[in-house]
Amino acid sequence: AQSVSQHNHHVILSEAASLELGCNYSYGGTVNLFWYVQYPGQHLQLLLKYFSGDPLVKGIKGFEAEFIKSKFSFNLRKPSVQWSDTAEYFCAVNAGYSSASKIIFGSGTRLSIRP
Amino acid sequence: GAGVSQSPSNKVTEKGKDVELRCDPISGHTALYWYRQSLGQGLEFLIYFQGNSAPDKSGLPSDRFSAERTGGSVSTLTIQRTQQEDSAVYLCASSSDRGQGGYTFGSGTRLTVV
């Protein structure tokens, strides 16, 4: 069965600091990978996704993620965070082209940015 | 519609009562998903619809939970004889394919069982 691990439950950074949120998944086959963001009081939004091709994926608001197949990882990065990045971030995976097409989510990482 | 619409946005119910939660997906989206988000927890998969059929309902926690989808559009999640542990935010999402494109989520229904 697929699973997703997010190592950090709560990350606190100052503005302009660099960000990296860890995500590891367990599944041996082809996967599609996602990062979702939930800003306070808002619904979940897709930040970026990886299907195939270039393992470095660029998303909205300056975020990027790198798929490293050998490490089963899909870490989220941003060179310089802003106060408005305060949110909960969820890594997610689904098995590519499987009849079981549900997306499995990690437990989330809460990001707090100090102004 | 322009987005995924869920109703009600908030529901407070007494323990033992039945509740119905509604999801109206984006027009034309064939796949529809229900998730549950408890306080401090991640998203827990409940059930997935492709059209009107549910190929995967493995996440429904007990036989008190059921869901249906009619006309390939609106879905209703029903919880019978609600318990306090059912309190959570119930999220609906839809996609135009089998999830590979990522989902569009609704704002959720916050269910509180007192």
Side-chain angles (χ1 to χ4, degrees), chain A residues 46-90:
Chain A
L46 183 64
L47 200 53
L48 50 78
K49 60 188 177 185
Y50 171 80
F51 276 57
S52 62
D54 189 345
L56 185 62
V57 179
K58 302 233 183 256
I60 59 172
K61 303 186 181 185
F63 286 92
E64 64 180 31
E66 185 175 14
F67 170 50
I68 302 179
K69 190 174 181 180
S70 60
K71 295 184 178 179
F72 297 89
S73 70
F74 191 56
N75 292 355
L76 182 70
R77 300 195 293 245
K78 185 170 184 178
S80 176
V81 294
Q82 302 171 305
W83 178 80
S84 58
D85 293 325
T86 295
E88 186 129 23
Y89 293 81
F90 294 91

Side-chain angles (χ1 to χ4, degrees), chain A residues 1-2 10 25 37-38 42 63 109:
Chain A
Q2 304 156 52
H10 189 192
Y25 67 93
V37 60
Q38 189 171 29
Q42 296 188 28
F63 286 92
T109 297

Side-chain angles (χ1 to χ4, degrees), chain B residues 16-36:
Chain B
K17 301 271 189 182
D18 297 352
V19 294
E20 282 190 355
L21 312 180
R22 176 189 166 105
C23 173
D24 200 343
I26 290 174
S27 178
H29 277 190
T30 56
L32 185 148
Y33 309 80
W34 284 98
Y35 284 80
R36 178 167 73 174

Side-chain angles (χ1 to χ4, degrees), chain A residues 7-8 10 12-13 17 19 21 41-42 46 51 53 64 66 68 70 72-73 79 92 96 98-99 101 108 110 114:
Chain A
H7 316 297
N8 312 103
H10 189 192
I12 303 173
L13 295 172
L19 168 72
L21 301 182
Q42 296 188 28
L46 183 64
F51 276 57
E64 64 180 31
E66 185 175 14
I68 302 179
S70 60
F72 297 89
S73 70
S98 164
S99 59
S101 63
R110 185 155 65 98
R114 292 188 292 245

Side-chain angles (χ1 to χ4, degrees), chain A residues 23-36:
Chain A
C23 172
N24 286 91
Y25 67 93
S26 66
Y27 184 72
T30 302
V31 292
N32 305 305
L33 297 157
F34 309 86
W35 276 96
Y36 282 82

Side-chain angles (χ1 to χ4, degrees), chain A residues 32 36 51 97 101-103, chain B residues 35 48 56 98 100-101 103:
Chain A
N32 305 305
Y36 282 82
F51 276 57
Y97 307 105
S101 63
K102 60 182 181 255
I103 293 180
Chain B
Y35 284 80
Y48 149 60
D56 189 345
R98 293 189 304 166
Q100 282 85 359
Y103 302 158

